[in-house]
Amino acid sequence: MNNYTHQNLLNFKNPRGFRGKSKIIVQLWRLTYIIFFRNSPQFFYVWRRFLLRIFGADIGKKVIIRPTAQITYPWKVSIGDYSWIGDEVVLYSLGKIEIGSNTVISQRSYICTGSHKYNSDNFDIFSQQITIGSKCWLATDVYVAPSVSIGDYTVVGARSSVFNNLPPNKICFGSPAKIIKDRV
């Protein structure tokens, strides 16, 4: 037997204030999302921006968010002008997510600000901010890990996993994502 601890989920607790709002507001958002956001017609972009702003999201001008996108806590999300959030994108916003202007997050991408401490007896949860710059493109099914920053103008290829910061103006691909070349 080793000296490492393994999770005992009986002792798991969310840290006080972890969600950023009360349990009531969290549940009110979930109901709003299920009834009004997810069921809205595809072209109701203004409506979805409105709903997100009511719940504290900082949403820029003419942002396109598809009805199948999932946003955990909108009050922890900031999206710049003219950006697109595709079908089935998950903004797992346990921590803050900042997305610049004119950025595309393509379908089925997963932006993940939280995880658990695997070596904690209590399986402690944590969150770390993710920043995605302006004029970026994350292609289909990209995973972005907690604490990652992606520089302006960077493209991340389909099915890539981003575990480390990516500099500006690069084309990156793979799991883990590596710089392939400059974006010309």
Side-chain angles (χ1 to χ4, degrees), residues 82-145:
Y82 312 108
S83 288
W84 299 351
I85 308 299
D87 284 309
E88 300 177 27
V89 166
V90 175
L91 299 180
Y92 193 53
S93 53
L94 300 183
K96 187 150 180 60
I97 295 174
E98 291 183 359
I99 299 168
S101 298
N102 296 289
T103 287
V104 176
I105 311 292
S106 293
Q107 64 275 12
R108 291 181 212 76
S109 291
Y110 197 104
I111 313 306
C112 182
T113 62
S115 191
H116 295 270
K117 297 178 182 175
Y118 68 90
N119 58 356
S120 160
D121 185 46
N122 298 333
F123 204 52
D124 295 326
I125 195 168
F126 68 91
S127 66
Q128 295 174 322
Q129 179 172 322
I130 290 175
T131 303
I132 300 168
S134 293
K135 299 186 179 181
C136 293
W137 176 28
L138 278 61
T140 299
D141 203 20
V142 169
Y143 172 82
V144 180

